[in-house]
Amino acid sequence: MTVLVLDNPTLLASVSLAAGMPLQVATTDQTPKRPHRLRFHFGFNQHRLNEEDQALLRQHALWLKHNPGASVHIHGHSDVFGVGEYNQFLSRLRASTAAKLMIRQGARDSQISMTGWGSDKPLARPEDHAANRRLELEYTIVDMARAL
């Protein structure tokens, strides 16, 4: 299944208009903006993010709380060190830790799904271990999925 994620407000507006959907964006000065950073990296054999990354995940959770039609899929990844079963476990643990943090901050459980990929989907060459130890957020907006 291919998922189209529109992260550009201008593209989002033009697709909405092309699909015949009225563009009703209720934003105020107090409406949180979704952080643009969607990728977070981990240290070797770690599943907890540093304080700065946790703060960004809290902002993502706040955005989800104010946008009930949106959902996020959290992809956990690992490097190639260790056996495959452990890497699978570690990648799921990374995704689960992020999901729990976001839920504690107000995101709905129904808005979050997770996958642990282990070392199966490297971002960089398998030898580039630090780049492959990561967490990625992939957003979908329910109304946009229906329009497409």
Side-chain angles (χ1 to χ4, degrees):
M1 179 172 114
T2 302
V3 176
L4 175 64
V5 178
L6 297 176
D7 195 24
N8 181 316
T10 305
L11 268 176
L12 190 61
S14 60
V15 169
S16 294
L17 291 173
M21 296 172 56
L23 188 61
Q24 297 174 346
V25 180
T27 60
T28 66
D29 290 339
Q30 296 178 356
T31 301
K33 300 209 184 314
R34 192 188 78 188
H36 288 286
R37 186 159 156 228
L38 301 174
R39 187 176 296 142
F40 303 88
H41 292 275
F42 294 87
F44 177 72
N45 204 28
Q46 299 293 311
H47 69 277
R48 290 201 173 92
L49 294 164
N50 63 35
E51 282 300 318
E52 179 184 339
D53 291 344
Q54 288 181 32
L56 279 168
L57 279 179
R58 286 186 198 98
Q59 291 175 14
H60 281 280
L62 185 61
W63 186 85
L64 283 169
K65 182 178 179 179
H66 285 87
N67 294 277
S71 63
V72 66
H73 191 97
I74 303 172
H75 299 271
H77 300 271
S78 69
D79 58 26
V80 295
F81 284 123
V83 295
E85 292 83 15
Y86 178 74
N87 288 336
Q88 192 74 30
F89 166 77
L90 183 57
S91 66
R92 282 193 311 265
L93 185 60
R94 289 172 174 166
S96 176
T97 300
K100 287 176 185 175
L101 184 148
M102 293 174 80
I103 291 168
R104 280 194 309 268
Q105 293 300 312
R108 293 165 191 79
D109 187 39
S110 61
Q111 290 179 287
I112 299 174
S113 58
M114 302 171 290
T115 304
W117 294 103
S119 58
D120 292 343
K121 295 188 174 211
L123 176 66
R125 295 184 329 259
E127 303 81 40
D128 193 357
H129 305 291
N132 293 324
R133 293 188 296 261
R134 71 193 188 282
L135 181 79
E136 294 179 339
L137 305 180
E138 178 182 15
Y139 278 94
T140 55
I141 299 176
V142 175
D143 293 336
M144 291 309 303
R146 283 190 209 128
L148 300 174

